[in-house]
Amino acid sequence: MSDIIHLLPDSVANQIAAGEVIQRPASVLKELVENSIDAGATFIQILIKDAGRTLIQVVDNGKGMSETDARMAFERHATSKITDAADLFSLKTMGFRGEALASIAAVAQVELRTRRAEDELGVFVEIAGTRVFKQEMVQCDTGTAFQVKNLFFNVPARRRFLKSDNVEKSHILTEFYRIALVNSNVAFALFDGDDEMFQLPASNNKVRIENIFGKNAKKRWQQQLLTIETSTNLVSINGYVGKPEFAQKSAIQYFFVNGRYMRHPYFHKAVLLAFNQMIQANESPNYFIYLEVDPQTIDVNIHPTKTEIKFENEQAIWSILSASIKESLGKFNIIPSIDFDQEGALEMPTSMSIENVRPPQTNFNPNYNPFGTSAYKRPALDWENLYGNFEKKTETIESMPNWQPESIKPEIISSVPEEKQQIMEISEQRADNFQFKNRYIITSLKSGMLMIDQHRAHVRILFEQYINQIENRKALSQQILFPEILELSADDVLIFEQMLPDLQYLGFDFEPQGNHSFNVKGVPENVGTGSVIDLLLVMLDKAKTTAEDLSTTMHESIAFSLAESSALKNGQRLSNEEMSDIIDRLFASANHNFTPDGKRIITIFTHEEIDKRF
Ligand code: ADP
Ligand code: MG
């Protein structure tokens, strides 16, 4: 019997291997543009047709290739970027695997025109399904132009696997953003057929971010980005985080390391934690964070399509990152500027008590609610417009579009200076306050009207007070006349024992009775009026759920549940002094915008908004 094992022909082997690297048009774009970056290009033009199915063209002004290299470039494992395994640990280029061009040529029809500055003539190579059809000397610009036509022309199964044009285009944009955001010194143009999608001049990272995501709302983007900057032996961190009020459900979040996009769920947690309690629970902050580390200390994924990167000093970098974000949130004073108004305040004589206020008898519409809509509207990001540009193109490509790189002059834009942040000023003699429905405190601001949820405000105030007490171990306790017994199950007692020190710092006083029971002899001053045992059980419950959750500590959980139960309730009538006291203490707290569990405390109605209603 004859042997049955044989080597696959190169064309088949390449097609199989290509599947790893080239999954869709976006992968081609990524590989070509990364090659242009590696070639030192300062200007890269991209054209796609039919979502990249029929054409992906990348033209750069980089260093070009020699005649031999132009041919060699398509060989598998042919690269100019590394020579041995050790080089993998000092990578300065995007590419290093030497398989992208081989893969692309295995599954598409490729034309390459390239010329080095020192050569008179350039090279033209035409290759499809790994077969070279033509190679000749041509006149062309310095740099490199790739045209990749009819992707998967010889692999129908792959072609069928592609999604709708819009989906493929969104993959293309994803790859484009990942490269453009971290190469802001390179100018880019991106065309979808005849539509110009992006025209990005060389600039700095901040301007690049605004040019990509700001679209029609550049001002807002300029206002939302806070700079972060730290430099240590292990890592230097640069970049921007969006202010908490710009947080959104599907936030825009990017990490880069040494000029390369990466996904890093662990560092992502560090960012979220720095924003802890500043944003609503279901929202997330925008961020663009650029790390630079010694290439020896990271392991760039060997897999061509994976973006996870391993760090040697992960924990230390985690802490540095978190601290540096917290610092800039603090430094740039994320508190909105609020000036309490004295003139033009709600016109109410100070002597007149709230009880005497009567609704007008005539023309009174009890259903009219001036506060029916929220003052704060998040501007819709420009996604719809972005995708609105996409329309199906049926024309087929004949010739290379006639682009003049000169027609798009890269220009340097200097960064917009950090705008001066105003600091909140609370006036000593604030105008009188008004309580609406025994629930909201309303007061007048220079810029409009401020409305505060009294319960939530008080939760925030007490929460910070309790945290402070726990941390400074300052208990204010009051003994109870008739001690109550707390009986716990065997597992609950384990958690309860972890809570004990904090509870004692807050003013609780317990006497262990054995058998998982405790005699409750003292409670914190001013604690709510309900049952102490119920309160302790609620606190225990919260502590249980936070036990695994990284984002809150035991302190915070205990302080929060106590604050929740002790805070004044909605429906409780307040005197003018009490309202003033709440306002003063709220604005003295670290975060007057949200409760510890992310609920909104205040809303501002600007003059314009109010005027518009009349
Ligand atoms: P890698 O980027 O991993 O080296 P590729 O298959 O992407 O592998 O490219 C192979 C080689 O072709 C590169 O190492 C580089 O020398 C050359 N090359 C590819 N694209 C360009 C370009 N746009 N300009 C100059 N040289 C290029
Ligand atoms: Mg490459």
Side-chain angles (χ1 to χ4, degrees):
M1 219 213 246
S2 65
D3 298 332
I4 52 170
I5 298 181
H6 60 94
L7 286 173
L8 285 174
D10 267 5
S11 57
V12 180
N14 280 342
Q15 237 184 57
I16 293 170
E20 286 277 291
V21 191
I22 304 300
Q23 289 154 343
R24 48 174 20 111
S27 344
V28 174
L29 177 128
K30 168 181 184 283
E31 296 297 340
L32 293 183
V33 177
E34 286 187 348
N35 280 345
S36 298
I37 300 276
D38 285 344
T42 57
F43 180 45
I44 301 172
Q45 298 175 90
I46 306 159
L47 166 68
I48 59 165
K49 288 195 174 173
D50 302 306
R53 283 171 222 270
T54 52
L55 178 72
I56 301 156
Q57 172 175 288
V58 174
V59 180
D60 71 45
N61 62 353
K63 65 181 181 207
M65 285 178 257
S66 71
E67 195 188 342
T68 327
D69 285 351
R71 181 60 198 82
M72 263 296 275
F74 291 100
E75 294 296 323
R76 188 159 296 281
H77 308 306
T79 180
S80 55
K81 299 171 192 173
I82 60 173
T83 43
D84 58 34
D87 291 346
L88 278 175
F89 298 96
S90 54
L91 277 180
K92 297 217 167 52
T93 52
M94 303 299 294
F96 57 89
R97 302 179 184 92
E99 53 185 350
L101 293 183
S103 301
I104 295 169
V107 292
Q109 298 156 347
V110 181
E111 289 180 21
L112 160 65
R113 290 169 178 80
T114 183
R115 182 168 73 84
R116 299 182 300 179
E118 64 264 39
D119 298 332
E120 199 125 299
L121 282 179
V123 198
F124 171 78
V125 179
E126 192 186 334
I127 184 166
T130 319
R131 274 182 58 204
V132 181
F133 284 91
K134 206 185 234 175
Q135 175 163 2
E136 63 190 22
M137 305 309 280
V138 289
Q139 297 253 338
C140 63
D141 289 333
T142 354
T144 302
F146 272 102
Q147 283 189 303
V148 175
K149 297 178 179 174
N150 304 321
L151 183 63
F152 301 134
F153 76 102
N154 53 351
V155 204
R158 288 247 142 201
R159 211 162 54 227
R160 278 196 298 274
F161 163 85
L162 294 179
K163 301 283 192 312
S164 71
D165 275 11
N166 277 3
V167 171
E168 293 305 330
K169 279 178 196 171
S170 84
H171 283 292
I172 284 176
L173 281 182
T174 301
E175 295 296 349
F176 178 71
Y177 292 160
R178 289 176 180 180
I179 300 173
L181 282 168
V182 70
N183 289 286
S184 55
N185 55 336
V186 177
F188 287 90
L190 173 60
F191 288 83
D192 171 20
D194 298 330
D195 293 340
E196 172 190 305
M197 297 186 67
F198 283 101
Q199 192 69 261
L200 304 171
S203 59
N204 57 37
N205 288 344
K206 189 169 190 207
V207 173
R208 179 57 54 90
I209 294 167
E210 287 157 11
N211 283 342
I212 291 181
F213 296 107
K215 285 256 150 182
N216 307 323
K218 288 222 169 76
K219 262 257 169 60
R220 275 188 74 81
W221 270 86
Q222 284 162 11
Q223 285 163 0
Q224 84 144 287
L225 299 179
L226 296 177
T227 306
I228 54 170
E229 199 168 6
T230 306
S231 187
T232 69
N233 290 341
L234 288 182
V235 62
S236 42
I237 303 176
N238 269 288
Y240 305 92
V241 291
K243 291 181 189 167
E245 65 264 34
F246 292 84
Q248 48 190 347
K249 285 205 182 73
S250 47
I252 304 172
Q253 303 175 325
Y254 286 90
F255 275 122
F256 301 94
V257 61
N258 296 359
R260 189 185 294 277
Y261 169 82
M262 69 163 175
R263 253 175 53 77
H264 207 292
Y266 183 59
F267 291 163
H268 173 73
K269 265 245 147 117
V271 182
L272 294 192
L273 198 61
F275 277 86
N276 193 15
Q277 298 184 16
M278 291 182 194
I279 50 186
Q280 308 219 42
N282 56 352
E283 296 185 339
S284 193
N286 296 326
Y287 63 76
F288 304 86
I289 296 173
Y290 303 80
L291 308 176
E292 290 289 333
V293 297
D294 178 349
Q296 310 261 6
T297 65
I298 53 172
D299 183 357
V300 172
N301 214 306
I302 288 296
H303 194 280
T305 58
K306 294 258 161 67
T307 51
E308 283 83 3
I309 288 182
K310 282 209 191 73
F311 285 68
E312 203 174 285
N313 305 303
E314 204 162 66
Q315 280 194 347
I317 295 176
W318 193 95
S319 316
I320 297 168
L321 176 62
S322 168
S324 106
I325 297 173
K326 280 184 185 154
E327 187 198 322
S328 65
L329 287 172
K331 187 162 77 193
F332 291 100
N333 181 25
I334 48 128
I335 301 162
S337 64
I338 290 182
D339 310 295
F340 285 99
D341 198 3
Q342 299 141 54
E343 299 140 0
L346 289 179
E347 280 167 9
M348 245 198 306
T350 28
S351 57
M352 187 174 168
S353 77
I354 303 289
E355 280 91 327
N356 294 333
V357 178
R358 297 257 179 280
Q361 299 301 303
T362 51
N363 295 335
F364 177 66
N365 173 4
N367 296 323
Y368 178 64
N369 173 9
F371 311 113
T373 50
S374 159
Y376 179 74
K377 278 230 176 70
R378 190 179 310 288
L381 259 181
D382 216 26
W383 291 108
E384 272 169 32
N385 274 344
L386 209 58
Y387 288 105
N389 285 339
F390 291 139
E391 46 180 273
K392 197 147 164 69
K393 286 261 152 55
T394 45
E395 70 187 79
T396 51
I397 40 144
E398 258 112 44
S399 61
M400 182 148 168
N402 188 19
W403 277 2
Q404 299 303 323
E406 289 74 25
S407 68
I408 311 157
K409 281 255 160 50
E411 49 178 299
I412 306 287
I413 295 186
S414 62
S415 111
V416 185
E418 211 62 66
E419 354 125 41
K420 226 176 145 256
Q421 306 268 338
Q422 286 173 300
I423 298 178
M424 172 190 85
E425 280 169 27
I426 301 180
S427 153
E428 287 287 303
Q429 320 143 326
R430 198 172 30 245
D432 277 50
N433 311 307
F434 175 81
Q435 193 183 18
F436 178 69
K437 300 257 185 205
N438 292 339
R439 169 160 187 188
Y440 298 104
I441 300 169
I442 297 173
T443 195
S444 182
L445 299 176
K446 280 217 182 79
S447 55
M449 186 172 84
L450 170 69
M451 204 168 173
I452 303 173
D453 180 307
Q454 64 186 44
H455 170 71
R456 293 179 184 179
H458 203 208
V459 170
R460 166 52 70 184
I461 293 165
L462 290 177
F463 171 75
E464 292 191 8
Q465 179 191 321
Y466 293 147
I467 287 279
N468 201 335
Q469 279 178 21
I470 294 174
E471 282 168 2
N472 296 310
R473 314 188 162 190
K474 272 194 307 207
L476 292 170
S477 180
Q478 64 191 29
Q479 295 298 302
I480 34 185
L481 223 42
F482 303 104
E484 293 184 53
I485 303 276
L486 175 69
E487 288 173 65
L488 298 171
S489 70
D491 353 327
D492 283 355
V493 90
L494 294 176
I495 302 214
F496 188 71
E497 273 164 3
Q498 287 177 45
M499 299 167 63
L500 258 179
D502 284 357
L503 291 174
Q504 282 159 346
Y505 299 140
L506 284 169
F508 285 99
D509 188 11
F510 301 100
E511 193 176 58
Q513 298 287 295
N515 216 4
H516 312 146
S517 342
F518 297 81
N519 208 354
V520 189
K521 293 179 2 199
V523 293
E525 251 187 15
N526 304 325
V527 78
T529 47
S531 145
V532 198
I533 301 300
D534 286 351
L535 169 61
L536 286 166
L537 291 176
V538 168
M539 293 171 83
L540 181 72
D541 233 38
K542 273 246 163 66
K544 269 196 248 173
T545 55
T546 52
E548 328 88 57
D549 180 3
L550 239 185
S551 69
T552 19
T553 63
M554 187 64 96
H555 289 347
E556 286 168 345
S557 152
I558 291 173
F560 176 56
S561 40
L562 187 59
E564 271 271 291
S565 79
S566 311
L568 58 88
K569 302 282 177 284
N570 289 329
Q572 200 163 324
R573 174 153 300 181
L574 301 175
S575 70
N576 197 27
E577 287 69 38
E578 285 169 324
M579 288 191 267
S580 292
D581 184 52
I582 298 269
I583 297 173
D584 291 342
R585 286 162 70 197
L586 176 66
F587 284 95
S589 74
N591 182 344
H592 58 241
N593 284 315
F594 296 104
T595 58
D597 60 337
K599 294 191 183 123
R600 188 169 283 286
I601 300 173
I602 65 168
T603 273
I604 294 171
F605 298 88
T606 63
H607 272 307
E608 297 88 77
E609 281 170 304
I610 296 169
D611 288 348
K612 244 190 253 155
R613 292 172 176 275
F614 291 97

